[in-house]
Amino acid sequence: MKKIVIALFVVMVLLLLNSRQEQIIIPSDAIRFRIIANSNNIKDQEEKIKLKKDLEPVLGSILSNSYTKDDTIENINNNMNEIKKTIEKHNLDYNINFGLNYFPEKTYKGLKYSSGNYESLVVTLGDGLGDNWWCVLFPPLCLIEAEEENYDEYTYTSYIKELLDK
């Protein structure tokens, strides 16, 4: 009986601690970025990651002077040819769409991203049947992460909360 009471106490404490953990929800006016792989085979997933690594610095440069959602939209639209040229270096069939696209709900590093249709830049490779990689271009969450891959979860969450509170 004593073991059951102790176990229940531990479970209750864990539930209380977990329920107090703050969730930060990215605003609905965020601009997302997504690359969908052709399939889940290793080669297609590797191609998706190579493309991601090539596009990050290009997007970082394009968006370096983007301080608002409107700035971000304008800079992406004005530089779509540069984005396409980077993709075309990979000699892959692709489709690119900048506009409203559906995203499922996702939680990443303590941040909750609600499902829905979001302004986004989506690159679909081939048939687009594979796992995807995604991030947020505005506020510039993925570009921050690309620069600082050693953020721990607490630092990342605190920094993003600070950005969103401004």
Side-chain angles (χ1 to χ4, degrees), residues 95-113:
N95 182 35
I96 190 166
N97 181 32
F98 184 47
L100 288 179
N101 296 285
Y102 178 77
F103 280 71
E105 182 177 288
K106 175 91 172 168
T107 301
Y108 178 68
K109 292 191 178 185
L111 302 176
K112 180 182 178 185
Y113 302 85

Side-chain angles (χ1 to χ4, degrees), residues 1 25 28 31 39 55 67 69 76 78 89 99 139 149:
M1 181 69 171
I25 300 175
S28 61
I31 298 177
S39 75
L55 281 172
Y67 303 106
K69 180 179 180 178
I76 290 171
N78 289 342
K89 289 178 187 176
E149 291 195 356

Side-chain angles (χ1 to χ4, degrees), residues 52-64 79 82-84 86 89 143:
K52 165 202 168 290
K53 288 182 179 181
D54 282 352
L55 281 172
E56 281 177 330
V58 171
L59 289 167
S61 175
I62 290 170
L63 301 177
S64 63
N79 291 282
E82 186 176 348
I83 295 167
K84 288 179 179 179
T86 303
K89 289 178 187 176
L143 303 178

Side-chain angles (χ1 to χ4, degrees), residues 3 5 7 18 20 25 35 37 50-51 64 76 85 89 95 97-98 101 124 129 148-149 153 155 161:
K3 289 181 184 180
V5 171
N18 192 34
R20 289 185 182 174
I25 300 175
I35 301 173
K50 286 178 188 173
L51 179 59
S64 63
I76 290 171
K85 284 180 188 176
K89 289 178 187 176
N95 182 35
N97 181 32
F98 184 47
N101 296 285
T124 304
L129 300 174
E148 292 290 339
E149 291 195 356
E153 187 170 320
T155 303
K161 180 173 178 9

